[in-house]
Amino acid sequence: MARSPGDHPTRLIPLLEQFDFACERLLARLAGPVMDSGNGVDIGVTPLGDDEYLWEPVPDCWSVRRRGDGPGARATALAGAGDWGRDTADSPHPFPPPFTTISWRLSHLSEMLALRADHTRGGRTLTREDYRTPGDAAGAVAALETSSAAWREALLTADDTALDTVGYSTYPNGSDAEDLFVDTVWWVNQEVLHHGAEIALLRDLYRARPS
């Protein structure tokens, strides 16, 4: 069960507030109908459409693709389950890294949040091959909303002992098993913040692209 607000560790509160800010701002930038400009002024937002979701602004992007079409340039597989997958490659990854689309970045974020939630307070069994990436923009926004809510719910169960526990999250695709949980919480916030900023910039570039 989630802890009541008064029971949250003091040091978790600003991290929760930062996570909420990052997620709310990103979801508003994607779905609209308005978002806060940052100074309290509402700005109209055109909801993310399928063409923009899959837009490749430069050649050889990594993206989300129909499984039957196979992976894109320099990718060796399409990660996940279902009809759509996200371009990926075996280690060592290509260098320089491929430019990634809005769809790729949203899939990465939602998968990370869903798996970390499961490996913190769930069954601790989900893998990247279990995750289903949506092939449409509306589905991707809904997936981000669901996965961010799942991660937040996991955070609400953490007490001070949990925050100081190494390996409290057993997420298998990061350093969680060697990290204090409070460090994992901080890292997840940075992932949402920086990928959210990238996605926002891609939306601006799509809007300003030549006709």
Side-chain angles (χ1 to χ4, degrees), residues 48-55 63-67 81-86 101-104 106-107 131-143:
L48 182 70
D50 291 347
D51 287 345
E52 183 180 2
Y53 175 64
L54 295 170
W55 178 54
S63 189
V64 164
R65 308 182 192 279
R66 293 185 185 276
R67 197 163 299 280
D83 295 335
W84 293 76
R86 187 178 71 250
T101 62
I102 291 176
S103 59
W104 194 99
L106 283 176
S107 173
Y131 184 76
R132 291 177 175 266
T133 292
D136 64 293
V141 173

Side-chain angles (χ1 to χ4, degrees), residues 180-197:
L180 296 172
F181 187 56
V182 69
D183 293 337
T184 298
V185 175
W186 176 88
W187 174 254
V188 170
N189 283 7
Q190 307 319 301
E191 285 283 283
V192 178
L193 286 163
H194 91 256
H195 286 306

Side-chain angles (χ1 to χ4, degrees), residues 23-66:
C23 290
E24 289 166 8
R25 194 165 178 81
L26 176 54
L27 286 166
R29 281 172 166 158
L30 292 168
V34 297
M35 62 166 285
D36 187 337
S37 66
N39 61 2
V41 176
D42 284 341
I43 297 176
V45 173
T46 300
L48 182 70
D50 291 347
D51 287 345
E52 183 180 2
Y53 175 64
L54 295 170
W55 178 54
E56 298 191 20
V58 298
D60 298 337
C61 285
W62 273 13
S63 189
V64 164
R65 308 182 192 279
R66 293 185 185 276

Side-chain angles (χ1 to χ4, degrees), residues 4 14 16 28 34 44 46-47 58 60 63 68 81 94 96 104 115 124 127 131 135 167 170 173 204 206:
S4 64
L16 277 171
V34 297
T46 300
V58 298
D60 298 337
S63 189
W104 194 99
L115 264 64
R124 304 194 177 204
T127 71
Y131 184 76
T170 62
N173 306 118
D204 285 342
Y206 181 83

Side-chain angles (χ1 to χ4, degrees), residues 3-4 12-13 18 23 37 43 58 63 66 79 85 95 98 111 118 122 128 131 134 136 155 163 167-168 179 189:
R3 304 167 67 83
S4 64
L12 180 60
I13 293 172
Q18 185 183 59
C23 290
S37 66
I43 297 176
V58 298
S63 189
R66 293 185 185 276
F95 187 86
E111 177 204 88
D118 177 72
R128 284 180 169 170
Y131 184 76
D136 64 293
L155 296 183
L163 292 177
Y168 187 75
D179 293 341
N189 283 7

Side-chain angles (χ1 to χ4, degrees), residues 79-154:
D83 295 335
W84 293 76
R86 187 178 71 250
D87 282 326
T88 189
D90 296 330
S91 184
H93 297 308
F95 187 86
F99 193 92
T100 56
T101 62
I102 291 176
S103 59
W104 194 99
R105 294 168 201 240
L106 283 176
S107 173
H108 165 64
L109 269 181
S110 297
E111 177 204 88
M112 176 199 69
L113 290 166
L115 264 64
R116 274 202 162 98
D118 177 72
H119 283 271
T120 300
R121 295 296 295 177
R124 304 194 177 204
T125 59
L126 290 182
T127 71
R128 284 180 169 170
E129 298 313 307
D130 297 318
Y131 184 76
R132 291 177 175 266
T133 292
D136 64 293
V141 173
L144 177 62
E145 191 168 14
T146 297
S147 61
S148 61
W151 174 244
R152 191 181 196 281
E153 189 66 21

